[in-house]
Amino acid sequence: PSSAMTANVLMVAGGGGGGGVNAGGGGAGGLVFSSGETISGSKTIVVGNGGLGGEGYNNGFDEVGEKGNDTSCLTYVASGGGGGGTQDADGSTQMNGGSGGGNCGYQTNKNGGSSTQNTYNGKGFGNAGGNGVNDLNGGGGGGAGSPGTNATGNGGTAGTGGDGKNYSTTFTTTYGENGWFAGGGGGASQTNTGTIGSGGQGGGGDGKIETGTNDVAPSGLPHTGGGGGGAG
């Protein structure tokens, strides 16, 4: 701006990719909202892409969803969402992010990823991902407004993605998912007797039950920071 202005600033990082096998959902990108920011002069804004989803049965780290990328503006950084955990790779570090990714229950550590988002004294938001259970159901990715839920037992339910935050009264329903941003991805179920986890409000992708060899779980909704769904 040619002169100082006061603005409401909303920043959302890229969401994490869902895991590839019996997997957890990707964590939402971290969210920063600051009202009444004074802005003047030229500023650099970096918008982070979402992370790629994990691949199936590679017996390697590629099964874990990729972390999303950071978004930065002014003095703030929104941290990319954590990737979803998976059956054949321990993604404990990669699952941490702005909101944590959900985990698969196959690993010794079944806990979802943690939030690494700076809170900036109440301006930054992120939550942990949900836990996996046994080797069939994945936890939901965390959202900016609430954590991902844990999966339940055999033939049970994968975890749902945590809801994001609603800024429709500030920015209208034109942006995000009807004004919501940064929802976590839903967890997956390998067995058709189980139930997938739904994505959180704010662009989180739903998990997917394994039905064939070329299954693709839903992505997070573009331009929301939502995490990707986990694949069965």
Side-chain angles (χ1 to χ4, degrees):
S2 57
S3 59
M5 64 180 292
T6 301
N8 297 322
V9 177
L10 174 66
M11 299 166 45
V12 187
V21 182
N22 307 341
L31 184 150
V32 177
F33 174 72
S34 180
S35 61
E37 282 281 339
T38 299
I39 303 173
S40 62
S42 177
K43 304 297 179 188
T44 297
I45 301 171
V46 177
V47 181
N49 288 336
L52 294 174
E55 298 181 25
Y57 291 112
N58 286 330
N59 295 311
F61 206 63
D62 287 342
E63 284 187 19
V64 182
E66 287 187 1
K67 293 180 71 166
N69 293 282
D70 296 349
T71 290
S72 60
C73 178
L74 303 177
T75 60
Y76 304 111
V77 176
S79 299
T86 188
Q87 175 176 299
D88 296 318
D90 180 3
S92 53
T93 300
Q94 195 156 330
M95 291 188 300
N96 300 330
S99 281
N103 203 359
C104 172
Y106 193 83
Q107 299 294 324
T108 301
N109 173 24
K110 299 173 173 57
N111 296 330
S114 300
S115 172
T116 61
Q117 178 58 51
N118 189 324
T119 63
Y120 294 114
N121 296 317
K123 298 178 182 180
F125 303 93
N127 286 283
N131 303 340
V133 64
N134 61 65
D135 63 341
L136 300 177
N137 297 319
S146 61
T149 66
N150 299 333
T152 59
N154 282 324
T157 302
T160 58
D163 286 334
K165 293 183 72 68
N166 183 3
Y167 291 97
S168 60
T169 57
T170 305
F171 298 111
T172 77
T173 59
T174 301
Y175 306 100
E177 183 181 28
N178 298 317
W180 288 77
F181 293 86
S189 179
Q190 185 187 41
T191 171
N192 57 17
T193 61
T195 304
I196 62 169
S198 58
Q201 287 195 82
D206 294 338
K208 186 172 178 62
I209 289 177
E210 180 183 23
T211 58
T213 58
N214 294 305
D215 294 334
V216 178
S219 300
L221 189 67
H223 314 304
T224 65

